[in-house]
Amino acid sequence: MATSKAEPKNDVKPEEKYQGLTTKQLTQFYRTIYLSRRLDDREILLKRQQKIFFQISGAGHEALMVAAAAALKPGYDWFYPYYRDRALTLSLGMTPYEQLLQSVGAADDPSSGGRQMPSHWASRKLNIVTQSSPTGTQLLQAVGCAEAGRYFSSHPEAAEKHDGDYRAFKNVVFHGDEVVYVSCGEGTTSQGEFWEAINSASNLKLPVLFVVEDNEYAISVPVEVQTAGGNISRLVANFPDFHFEEVDGTDAIASYAAFSRAVEHLRARRGPAFVHGHVIRPYSHSLSDDERLYRPEAERQEQVKRDPITRLQMFLIREGIIDEKGINRLEKEVDEEVQEATDRALSAPLAERDSWKRFIYSPDIDPTSNAFLHPPDAPKAAKDEKTPDKTMADLINACLKDEMRRDARIVMFGEDVADCTREQYLKQKQVKGKGGVFKLTSGLQCEFGSDRVFNSPLAEATIVGRAVGMATRGLKPVVEIQFFDYIWPAMHQLRNELPLIRWRSNNGFSSPAVVRVAIGGYLTGGAVYHSQCSESIFTHIPGLRVVFPSNALDANGLLRTAIRCDDPVMFLEHKRLYRETYGRAPYPGPEHMIPFGKARTVRQGDDITVITYGAVVPRTLQAAQRIERDHGVTVELLDLRTLSPYDWDAIASAVRKTSRVIVAYEDVLSWGYGAEIAARIADELFEDLDAPVRRVAAKDTFVAYQPLVEDAILPQADDLYEAMVKLAEF
Ligand SMILES: Cc1ncc(C[n+]2csc(CCOP(=O)(O)OP(=O)(O)O)c2C)c(N)n1
């Protein structure tokens, strides 16, 4: 690296004159800024030569970024950057070669193994957490990351490794004064998740450094469309405990001063910080955009005057820190470095065609294996009035308690999951506590404390987004979505983040959180917004395990598998089954586990197979008993228990046995979960069939409030019976 030995002309100490920066650091700033720009330029060239396939630049943001990095510590603090942060990631220690490996889609691309577009940074070593393309999804995760850091600081024992579950593969490192950096553009501040993240960080006084890189455009949409009044700093100014900075982000020294003050506030644990940097965007949004279509020449020229490269170069020369010769030497050296990195990257082995198969799920723990087979303990006492069988709600609660006792990394939150947020009411025994609208988490806060079991704001993206950040750091969040009907605000996190963290980072990061969701109808008055079932939307997502138990014992055993495994799990709990008489069981002990992807034969039969799950299981059982009574037809009833993965072997052998099959499910008939099963049976078992595959499901509408109409909409035992009779006659 070329640095000048020249000292400032006057006798003011560099540290004072340059906000604590030495001349060496300033020269290094220039080098990184220039390097970052040259890498962008090189990528632009490579894209035009069709040697890479996408380009988005960090041009104009570089000064702010080198300043941020200088105030923080790589591999110590945590980083959730966005695509304009090339100069930040270079300053933290990523090399040009590593960055270009991503551009060409190389096998050794450390960020994603050829899976993500360029500028989607990740580095385990440097604590740069895998980044995605949706604008703003990183913000809540950064909050969760900071919460995890705080949790481990106050529960250091939780960080210890443990064999026998996901903890064996999750190294936890934390520091008492660590900071979590997260950045976004000013356009992204329009996302609801931005406000949710700011709100939670403020409320919890978390050490999150929010950086808004304001280049005044989100592709072609100017800031006045995004932000009321045109200035985000003004809007966030009243969030408590924040340290705020608004700075010219093309001025590296002023930016460094702003970050230094912010980081001091953060390390002293006084609350979060917000740095609003005014930057420029001298290139179009990306190479897929042409800004001349919406920005006139005069406006584009205006910002050139603020280009951070020329600004810092002129400053260094003016101050006598480096002369023109020195600049030329430094730039030549950088150009050679870029050339060398480009040559190497272009000849690096590309990601292999079948590499897509790797890391959809954990390579370390297979929840479908027999390691997760642990039968229930024999009941301690014979069934009598003192040990009545437990409901599904009881046994889910029991599993949560057992696992929390066993694993200090488990934290639980969601809407109303705490016994009582105002702890003093519990302590003074003024109240008994709530513990969930369905009481599934009852007593957990009382036993495990308010830092392990707590209420979240009424914001589903917050629940899942924070859980993703926590799980990335090694905690095991087991969060609750109160009603499936209200899961949709979390969809971004559930579809684009939770199940993708591992795959998109080529196993660099993982996020094995458990999301418990109360689902389903048959409630007599549940109506449109308390009865929904759309599980196939989630079984459609690679990387996510989806579980849907039908009885108390399965719920207990499968939930334990969900918690101990190393993959993200959506655990669907049918509200109607929570306290049903059907499927109660004695407490199975603290180790009961059922592997994923293993169906249960509820009932043996020779004539018809019904494949189903959830609340349709008891209804099918009723219908099966009736058709046997009425017609002597015997039904083989298969309860899938887990929907992704599902037990194809069990399906195939049951279908081969009976040659007639019904797939039954509570969701609307069309495009439902049964369509996939029916299609695969038709495809692979066609010759074993004596009749067409039939489906029994809800009508293609929503669930109505009036119970008579609700009955007509949802699949009933009568519907199943009729379908069985017709199929037997076919
Ligand atoms: C949720 C989402 N919506 C839309 C897009 C498409 N998109 C990519 S970048 C971008 C503009 C982002 O603007 P801003 O946050 O101001 O950042 P800048 O690119 O200007 O730095 C848009 C609309 C996206 N990636 N994610």
Side-chain angles (χ1 to χ4, degrees), residues 376-398:
D377 294 347
K380 285 217 173 74
K383 273 194 233 163
D384 60 29
E385 277 164 9
K386 278 191 197 144
T387 57
D389 282 346
K390 304 288 185 195
T391 64
M392 183 190 274
D394 295 333
L395 289 195
I396 289 174
N397 180 268

mmCIF file of all heavy atoms in Angstrom, residues 376-398:
data_model
loop_
_atom_site.group_PDB
_atom_site.id
_atom_site.type_symbol
_atom_site.label_atom_id
_atom_site.label_comp_id
_atom_site.label_asym_id
_atom_site.label_seq_id
_atom_site.Cartn_x
_atom_site.Cartn_y
_atom_site.Cartn_z
ATOM 1 N N PRO A 376 -42.397 -42.474 23.692
ATOM 2 C CA PRO A 376 -42.824 -41.918 24.981
ATOM 3 C C PRO A 376 -42.396 -42.817 26.129
ATOM 4 O O PRO A 376 -42.353 -44.041 25.978
ATOM 5 C CB PRO A 376 -44.348 -41.898 24.880
ATOM 6 C CG PRO A 376 -44.688 -42.178 23.467
ATOM 7 C CD PRO A 376 -43.508 -42.797 22.802
ATOM 8 N N ASP A 377 -42.075 -42.206 27.251
ATOM 9 C CA ASP A 377 -41.838 -43.003 28.457
ATOM 10 C C ASP A 377 -43.145 -43.691 28.840
ATOM 11 O O ASP A 377 -44.233 -43.156 28.571
ATOM 12 C CB ASP A 377 -41.432 -42.094 29.629
ATOM 13 C CG ASP A 377 -40.088 -41.431 29.376
ATOM 14 O OD1 ASP A 377 -39.383 -41.857 28.443
ATOM 15 O OD2 ASP A 377 -39.770 -40.461 30.105
ATOM 16 N N ALA A 378 -43.010 -44.818 29.504
ATOM 17 C CA ALA A 378 -44.228 -45.476 29.994
ATOM 18 C C ALA A 378 -44.874 -44.554 31.023
ATOM 19 O O ALA A 378 -44.172 -43.977 31.864
ATOM 20 C CB ALA A 378 -43.859 -46.804 30.625
ATOM 21 N N PRO A 379 -46.192 -44.387 30.971
ATOM 22 C CA PRO A 379 -46.854 -43.511 31.946
ATOM 23 C C PRO A 379 -46.529 -43.965 33.365
ATOM 24 O O PRO A 379 -46.482 -45.176 33.632
ATOM 25 C CB PRO A 379 -48.339 -43.673 31.642
ATOM 26 C CG PRO A 379 -48.426 -44.358 30.325
ATOM 27 C CD PRO A 379 -47.115 -45.023 30.051
ATOM 28 N N LYS A 380 -46.290 -42.990 34.230
ATOM 29 C CA LYS A 380 -45.860 -43.327 35.604
ATOM 30 C C LYS A 380 -46.911 -44.116 36.357
ATOM 31 O O LYS A 380 -46.624 -45.062 37.055
ATOM 32 C CB LYS A 380 -45.530 -42.045 36.358
ATOM 33 C CG LYS A 380 -44.205 -41.466 35.916
ATOM 34 C CD LYS A 380 -43.459 -40.869 37.107
ATOM 35 C CE LYS A 380 -42.068 -40.437 36.700
ATOM 36 N NZ LYS A 380 -42.046 -39.220 35.890
ATOM 37 N N ALA A 381 -48.146 -43.714 36.191
ATOM 38 C CA ALA A 381 -49.214 -44.420 36.910
ATOM 39 C C ALA A 381 -50.261 -44.854 35.902
ATOM 40 O O ALA A 381 -50.341 -44.313 34.807
ATOM 41 C CB ALA A 381 -49.835 -43.478 37.928
ATOM 42 N N ALA A 382 -51.003 -45.857 36.274
ATOM 43 C CA ALA A 382 -52.091 -46.284 35.398
ATOM 44 C C ALA A 382 -53.067 -45.125 35.261
ATOM 45 O O ALA A 382 -53.126 -44.239 36.115
ATOM 46 C CB ALA A 382 -52.779 -47.493 36.001
ATOM 47 N N LYS A 383 -53.775 -45.123 34.124
ATOM 48 C CA LYS A 383 -54.740 -44.039 33.914
ATOM 49 C C LYS A 383 -55.767 -44.034 35.033
ATOM 50 O O LYS A 383 -56.431 -45.011 35.274
ATOM 51 C CB LYS A 383 -55.459 -44.258 32.582
ATOM 52 C CG LYS A 383 -54.702 -43.662 31.419
ATOM 53 C CD LYS A 383 -55.623 -43.606 30.233
ATOM 54 C CE LYS A 383 -54.959 -44.299 29.049
ATOM 55 N NZ LYS A 383 -55.895 -44.634 28.010
ATOM 56 N N ASP A 384 -55.822 -42.973 35.739
ATOM 57 C CA ASP A 384 -56.900 -42.824 36.715
ATOM 58 C C ASP A 384 -57.228 -41.356 36.823
ATOM 59 O O ASP A 384 -56.684 -40.529 36.083
ATOM 60 C CB ASP A 384 -56.515 -43.434 38.075
ATOM 61 C CG ASP A 384 -55.273 -42.746 38.650
ATOM 62 O OD1 ASP A 384 -55.062 -41.561 38.343
ATOM 63 O OD2 ASP A 384 -54.534 -43.396 39.401
ATOM 64 N N GLU A 385 -58.036 -41.004 37.748
ATOM 65 C CA GLU A 385 -58.489 -39.616 37.808
ATOM 66 C C GLU A 385 -57.353 -38.643 38.154
ATOM 67 O O GLU A 385 -57.379 -37.501 37.778
ATOM 68 C CB GLU A 385 -59.610 -39.486 38.831
ATOM 69 C CG GLU A 385 -60.939 -39.878 38.217
ATOM 70 C CD GLU A 385 -61.992 -40.132 39.261
ATOM 71 O OE1 GLU A 385 -61.754 -39.833 40.461
ATOM 72 O OE2 GLU A 385 -63.037 -40.648 38.877
ATOM 73 N N LYS A 386 -56.329 -39.171 38.824
ATOM 74 C CA LYS A 386 -55.234 -38.280 39.217
ATOM 75 C C LYS A 386 -54.302 -37.965 38.050
ATOM 76 O O LYS A 386 -53.634 -36.951 38.038
ATOM 77 C CB LYS A 386 -54.424 -38.930 40.346
ATOM 78 C CG LYS A 386 -55.066 -38.730 41.689
ATOM 79 C CD LYS A 386 -54.101 -39.145 42.785
ATOM 80 C CE LYS A 386 -54.897 -39.329 44.066
ATOM 81 N NZ LYS A 386 -54.410 -40.410 44.889
ATOM 82 N N THR A 387 -54.179 -38.883 37.114
ATOM 83 C CA THR A 387 -53.320 -38.628 35.955
ATOM 84 C C THR A 387 -54.149 -38.718 34.671
ATOM 85 O O THR A 387 -53.979 -39.628 33.893
ATOM 86 C CB THR A 387 -52.175 -39.648 35.882
ATOM 87 O OG1 THR A 387 -52.752 -40.955 35.838
ATOM 88 C CG2 THR A 387 -51.212 -39.519 37.016
ATOM 89 N N PRO A 388 -55.050 -37.769 34.513
ATOM 90 C CA PRO A 388 -55.875 -37.830 33.300
ATOM 91 C C PRO A 388 -55.008 -37.574 32.082
ATOM 92 O O PRO A 388 -53.945 -36.957 32.186
ATOM 93 C CB PRO A 388 -56.874 -36.681 33.499
ATOM 94 C CG PRO A 388 -56.183 -35.726 34.398
ATOM 95 C CD PRO A 388 -55.275 -36.533 35.259
ATOM 96 N N ASP A 389 -55.434 -38.077 30.940
ATOM 97 C CA ASP A 389 -54.685 -37.816 29.717
ATOM 98 C C ASP A 389 -54.640 -36.328 29.441
ATOM 99 O O ASP A 389 -55.564 -35.592 29.745
ATOM 100 C CB ASP A 389 -55.341 -38.568 28.559
ATOM 101 C CG ASP A 389 -54.968 -40.037 28.604
ATOM 102 O OD1 ASP A 389 -54.034 -40.390 29.340
ATOM 103 O OD2 ASP A 389 -55.635 -40.810 27.902
ATOM 104 N N LYS A 390 -53.556 -35.937 28.845
ATOM 105 C CA LYS A 390 -53.310 -34.513 28.602
ATOM 106 C C LYS A 390 -53.787 -34.113 27.207
ATOM 107 O O LYS A 390 -53.707 -34.898 26.265
ATOM 108 C CB LYS A 390 -51.811 -34.218 28.699
ATOM 109 C CG LYS A 390 -51.174 -34.629 30.001
ATOM 110 C CD LYS A 390 -51.601 -33.704 31.104
ATOM 111 C CE LYS A 390 -50.875 -34.017 32.392
ATOM 112 N NZ LYS A 390 -51.507 -33.401 33.544
ATOM 113 N N THR A 391 -54.197 -32.863 27.124
ATOM 114 C CA THR A 391 -54.609 -32.338 25.817
ATOM 115 C C THR A 391 -53.372 -31.963 24.993
ATOM 116 O O THR A 391 -52.253 -31.883 25.518
ATOM 117 C CB THR A 391 -55.457 -31.065 25.984
ATOM 118 O OG1 THR A 391 -54.619 -30.056 26.576
ATOM 119 C CG2 THR A 391 -56.676 -31.299 26.847
ATOM 120 N N MET A 392 -53.631 -31.633 23.721
ATOM 121 C CA MET A 392 -52.531 -31.166 22.874
ATOM 122 C C MET A 392 -51.937 -29.885 23.464
ATOM 123 O O MET A 392 -50.711 -29.702 23.483
ATOM 124 C CB MET A 392 -53.028 -30.909 21.447
ATOM 125 C CG MET A 392 -51.927 -30.503 20.507
ATOM 126 S SD MET A 392 -52.512 -29.930 18.891
ATOM 127 C CE MET A 392 -52.661 -31.435 18.003
ATOM 128 N N ALA A 393 -52.798 -29.008 23.944
ATOM 129 C CA ALA A 393 -52.313 -27.761 24.550
ATOM 130 C C ALA A 393 -51.398 -28.076 25.740
ATOM 131 O O ALA A 393 -50.314 -27.496 25.878
ATOM 132 C CB ALA A 393 -53.487 -26.892 24.988
ATOM 133 N N ASP A 394 -51.814 -29.019 26.586
ATOM 134 C CA ASP A 394 -50.992 -29.395 27.750
ATOM 135 C C ASP A 394 -49.622 -29.904 27.317
ATOM 136 O O ASP A 394 -48.597 -29.549 27.903
ATOM 137 C CB ASP A 394 -51.654 -30.533 28.554
ATOM 138 C CG ASP A 394 -52.960 -30.125 29.195
ATOM 139 O OD1 ASP A 394 -53.131 -28.925 29.467
ATOM 140 O OD2 ASP A 394 -53.812 -31.024 29.413
ATOM 141 N N LEU A 395 -49.635 -30.764 26.311
ATOM 142 C CA LEU A 395 -48.370 -31.419 25.963
ATOM 143 C C LEU A 395 -47.451 -30.515 25.140
ATOM 144 O O LEU A 395 -46.238 -30.721 25.132
ATOM 145 C CB LEU A 395 -48.626 -32.749 25.251
ATOM 146 C CG LEU A 395 -49.172 -33.867 26.148
ATOM 147 C CD1 LEU A 395 -49.046 -35.226 25.457
ATOM 148 C CD2 LEU A 395 -48.498 -33.939 27.518
ATOM 149 N N ILE A 396 -48.024 -29.532 24.459
ATOM 150 C CA ILE A 396 -47.156 -28.534 23.815
ATOM 151 C C ILE A 396 -46.505 -27.688 24.903
ATOM 152 O O ILE A 396 -45.295 -27.452 24.907
ATOM 153 C CB ILE A 396 -47.956 -27.660 22.815
ATOM 154 C CG1 ILE A 396 -48.325 -28.498 21.584
ATOM 155 C CG2 ILE A 396 -47.159 -26.417 22.409
ATOM 156 C CD1 ILE A 396 -49.225 -27.795 20.587
ATOM 157 N N ASN A 397 -47.308 -27.259 25.838
ATOM 158 C CA ASN A 397 -46.791 -26.469 26.959
ATOM 159 C C ASN A 397 -45.717 -27.257 27.718
ATOM 160 O O ASN A 397 -44.657 -26.716 28.074
ATOM 161 C CB ASN A 397 -47.964 -26.083 27.875
ATOM 162 C CG ASN A 397 -47.515 -25.259 29.061
ATOM 163 O OD1 ASN A 397 -47.220 -25.796 30.123
ATOM 164 N ND2 ASN A 397 -47.434 -23.947 28.881
ATOM 165 N N ALA A 398 -45.977 -28.547 27.916
ATOM 166 C CA ALA A 398 -45.008 -29.376 28.653
ATOM 167 C C ALA A 398 -43.700 -29.478 27.886
ATOM 168 O O ALA A 398 -42.606 -29.402 28.466
ATOM 169 C CB ALA A 398 -45.594 -30.768 28.894
#
